[in-house]
Amino acid sequence: GSPSLTAFNPFIPLNDFDSGIPAAFFEVAIENDTDAALDYSAAMTLCNPYDGSVNTFVTGGDICALHMTQNIHKPDSTEFGDMTLSADTSGAELSYQQYWYRGGWFDHLETYWCNFKDNERFSDRRYDTAGRGDHGTLCLRRRARPGERVIFRFVIAWNRPNCHNYWSPYKRKNAEGLETDVTWKNYYATVFEDSLASSRYAMKNFSRLRSETFKYKEILWSSTLPDEVVEALASATSVLKSPTVLRLEGGEVYGWEGVGENTGSCEGTCTHVWNYAYAMPFLFAKLERGLRETDFRYNQDENGKMSFRLALPLGRERNSFRACVDGQMGGVIKTYREWKLSGDTEWLRGVWQSCKKSLEYAWSDKNYDKWDLNRDGVLEGRQHHTLDMELFGPSSWLEGFYLAALKAGAEMAYALGESDSADYYMKLFSRGRRWSNANLWNGEYFMQKIDLEDKGVIEPYGDTTDAYWNEETGEIKYQIGEGCEIDQLCAQWHADICGLGSIFDGEKVKKALRSLYKYNFKPSMREHYNSFRIYALNDEAAAIMCAYPEHVRLPSIPIPYAQESMHGFEYQLAALMMSNNMIEEGVNIVRAIRDRYNGKKRNPWNEIEWGSNYARSMASFSMIPLLSGFRFDMTEPSVAFDPKINRDDFSCFWSVDSGWGSVKINCSAHSALIELAGGVLKIKKLGLPFTRQIDSVSADGKNIPFTYSGGYVVLDEETAVRDSLKVF
């Protein structure tokens, strides 16, 4: 029969250890479809990539390996490393070659192929001298009876233990007085001695790791979410497995914005880019909490100003550039999110003073950008943001971040007993919300309030006046103005996911979304003018960053990237549309992105913005909680579902900090089944669209008494669900 290959790297929600094994797993399956017993051989070859290559055969129990080392670099060098090819030999006949034939031209390939096809087994070959790029092979041979299926398992593991900051070097003097790079270890190198150790762990746990990884895959792909949505969010999570993400020596996560061919692209787990990355908080909540901790610990100065790029190695001087509104206020919102996903109020207490200082920097007299010095809840002054320039007048985009941060801050302050602070934050929130709904709304959508001809707006910031004043047209440059900007409701997107409720007037939000679809979504980019980077072209459809309808003023030089289409922003818009029951429109935008990344035009696992494997693409994961109407508050603890589609046959993935699995809902039958695939779900309150029609609740097969309150089923006691929660 024809062989099939299954290849994977472990990806198990909430299990960051096994999901971070530096190894690739391969399973070859062959079924004997003849009437006679046959012997099948499967071989895997690996090249030792190092100069001074040394290949060594190692065996132990049912695992054999070729450990590929080198004799050039010292163990503390950033160039030091090793690789291992291992195989499961149980029930198999093993042969191997530690080295392929050394020769010129294609001698090694010719010799290998002849060895494989002409002989029943490989004869080992060794050399006494180190080589350069030597290959080695493991070969397994198994007999299959008629109709029998045989399996061959291999693992390739790697180890490059030492890192240093090559993009912005940081040196210290060593014992000899010479300046040398400060290095640190990759996290996996602190738990595995070398690639041989990680390959042994991988091979011993192969079946479990395969089962748990494929359990997640099956839940994801068997859901009743639109195919385009599942493809988008599944593809984008590959960013977590790409060189975009590093794990530092203490287990901390560090991310680029994306990656170039040989280097990272834009350093520092950039807060305003990673604002959009919703995969990690739901899939690896502990790691996401770590981002908040490192952000507050290393990026905050004594006044509360946050650097939006984390500098490596940890503890070196902070970036001195001005603070970023969406990055800094987003950090407050995300702190709230991590608290609600985990229910860990002690964790919140540990980061709260830093979080509070970050929020209150908005009106600090040390804030030289003067965001809200008059404390009226309205962002003014100079506002840096993710489009790499500054806004100088209030906009729903950045004002929304401020409002959402104030509301999140108030809830956290109340929970920690700081009612005076909480009341003050809510007072600012209410003022700012009223002002924004009245002054930033043009009847169709939210915009920026600024007089482009008033040079006095930018003159208090002397170091940027020349850069932002267009002398020829007498206008301030790089502003939204009256444009319809794709992120005008980004804060509402965060609020809908995190359970913060309404940031802007609900009817205005719906109308603004319809305007965004009308003006920003282009069914074809062929006639669309774009002076910036081209991420969509010809007859491809896309949603552009900022549209200027004919009846509004087009600035002579508008906000940067106005004519571009960037998929991370598009996913945010699409997901918010879905949250507001604009399902068809949201899916159309997602479908347009997936058409652009359909495998023929572009790599479907590499969505590009400023670099490959761009972190902002993980905004697509937000479509899971928003389409399922998933609400979470593990401080109670409570979860709720209110599907936006397929309400009589809905199934989807869900997760919180402690557990993950699938949910199946039939609204007409008043039934729901929450199944655990990993971890535990602690629950006291459950919300469903048909809460009042529920007659029975059982957890792990045991009936649980309950009452009704505030749209929730309230269990008589907090219950730890390990298998399933069933209601009907």
Side-chain angles (χ1 to χ4, degrees), residues 30 104 122 147 190 229 232 280 325 332 377 400 427 439-440 460 516-517 521 586 597 620 658 676:
I30 308 175
F122 283 102
T190 70
V229 167
M280 199 158 71
V325 171
V332 178
K427 177 180 164 184
N439 292 277
L440 300 179
L516 278 160
Y517 192 73
F521 183 62
Y597 287 91
S620 60
S658 62
L676 275 292

Side-chain angles (χ1 to χ4, degrees), residues 391 393-403 435-437 440-441 445-449 480 485 487-492 503-504 512:
L391 294 185
S395 68
S396 67
W397 169 28
L398 299 183
E399 170 68 8
F401 268 96
Y402 183 36
L403 293 177
W435 189 93
S436 297
N437 280 305
L440 300 179
W441 178 252
Y445 53 83
F446 291 97
M447 57 178 190
Q448 179 193 16
K449 190 175 182 64
I480 298 170
E485 198 263 337
D487 258 356
Q488 62 184 267
L489 298 170
C490 188
Q492 190 61 63
I503 304 301
F504 299 106

Side-chain angles (χ1 to χ4, degrees), residues 220 222-230 233 574-575 577-587 591 623-630 641-653 663-668 689-690:
L220 203 61
S222 64
S223 78
T224 56
L225 301 180
D227 290 344
E228 299 90 342
V229 167
V230 177
L233 62 92
M577 287 178 170
M578 294 172 187
S579 179
N580 284 270
N581 297 309
M582 293 175 62
I583 306 300
E584 181 179 355
E585 294 87 345
V587 171
R591 185 179 296 121
M623 291 183 281
I624 286 183
L626 291 181
L627 273 172
S628 62
F630 180 50
F641 297 92
D642 186 9
K644 302 292 183 181
I645 56 173
N646 304 322
R647 289 170 66 85
D648 290 342
D649 181 25
F650 182 82
S651 66
C652 187
F653 171 85
V663 58
K664 297 178 174 64
I665 296 174
N666 186 320
C667 290
S668 293
F690 44 84

Side-chain angles (χ1 to χ4, degrees), residues 239 252 296 304 526 676:
V239 170
E252 306 92 344
F296 288 132
R526 187 170 292 278
L676 275 292

Side-chain angles (χ1 to χ4, degrees), residues 52-77:
S53 57
V54 178
N55 296 352
T56 306
F57 178 73
V58 182
T59 187
D62 289 332
I63 300 172
C64 69
L66 286 177
H67 189 202
M68 298 184 168
T69 57
Q70 47 79 40
N71 63 6
I72 301 294
H73 301 290
K74 295 180 179 179
D76 61 354
S77 167

Side-chain angles (χ1 to χ4, degrees), residues 173-433:
K173 288 185 178 180
N174 62 15
E176 289 77 34
L178 300 175
E179 286 201 337
T180 59
D181 284 324
V182 175
T183 64
W184 63 90
K185 286 189 178 298
N186 281 313
Y187 176 69
Y188 65 73
T190 70
V191 292
F192 295 116
E193 181 181 358
D194 53 21
S195 65
L196 184 60
S198 57
S199 74
R200 282 173 170 159
Y201 178 86
M203 193 60 78
K204 287 178 180 177
N205 292 276
F206 197 115
S207 294
R208 177 182 62 83
L209 297 170
R210 186 189 195 283
S211 172
E212 293 179 5
T213 296
F214 278 71
K215 191 181 296 183
Y216 168 66
K217 169 185 172 286
E218 287 155 10
I219 290 173
L220 203 61
W221 286 97
S222 64
S223 78
T224 56
L225 301 180
D227 290 344
E228 299 90 342
V229 167
V230 177
E231 181 187 317
L233 62 92
S235 297
T237 52
S238 66
V239 170
L240 296 175
K241 291 291 193 175
S242 75
T244 297
V245 178
L246 311 178
R247 198 163 180 195
L248 308 180
E249 192 163 329
E252 306 92 344
V253 168
Y254 175 93
W256 298 91
E257 293 184 25
V259 290
E261 185 175 352
N262 299 306
T263 63
S265 175
C266 295
E267 65 172 314
T269 326
C270 179
T271 56
H272 57 66
V273 169
W274 279 79
N275 269 346
Y276 297 77
Y278 262 90
M280 199 158 71
F282 284 103
L283 292 173
F284 303 104
K286 182 182 78 173
L287 300 185
E288 187 71 33
R289 284 200 304 280
L291 287 183
R292 306 286 80 74
E293 294 163 13
T294 53
D295 193 26
F296 288 132
R297 180 176 179 183
Y298 297 108
N299 279 341
Q300 188 174 72
D301 73 9
E302 64 277 6
N303 301 314
K305 174 194 168 189
M306 302 285 293
S307 170
F308 56 88
R309 295 191 187 278
L310 181 68
L312 291 183
L314 294 177
R316 71 180 293 183
E317 68 279 2
R318 287 183 297 272
N319 188 304
S320 61
F321 191 73
R322 65 184 62 95
C324 172
V325 171
D326 45 346
Q328 183 145 340
M329 295 300 128
V332 178
I333 299 166
K334 291 181 289 189
T335 301
Y336 172 85
R337 178 188 68 195
E338 269 64 89
W339 171 50
K340 291 294 187 177
L341 270 171
S342 68
D344 190 343
T345 301
E346 286 308 304
W347 173 83
L348 175 64
R349 198 180 307 278
V351 299
W352 170 242
Q353 291 306 316
S354 296
C355 182
K356 181 180 180 181
K357 186 184 288 188
S358 183
L359 174 60
E360 294 184 356
Y361 181 71
W363 56 84
S364 167
D365 59 6
K366 304 296 184 183
N367 185 340
Y368 55 80
D369 288 320
K370 303 177 176 64
W371 290 347
D372 189 18
L373 289 188
N374 61 358
R375 305 192 187 198
D376 63 353
V378 179
L379 271 186
E380 296 150 336
R382 178 172 57 182
Q383 306 155 50
H384 191 67
H385 53 74
T386 194
L387 299 184
D388 301 321
M389 302 298 278
E390 278 72 45
L391 294 185
F392 290 92
S395 68
S396 67
W397 169 28
L398 299 183
E399 170 68 8
F401 268 96
Y402 183 36
L403 293 177
L406 285 167
K407 196 171 187 183
E411 289 206 31
M412 291 185 284
Y414 281 131
L416 295 175
E418 297 188 13
S419 57
D420 289 347
S421 293
D423 290 342
Y424 188 67
Y425 301 158
M426 282 305 296
K427 177 180 164 184
L428 291 180
F429 168 77
S430 298
R431 282 181 183 174
R433 186 177 190 273

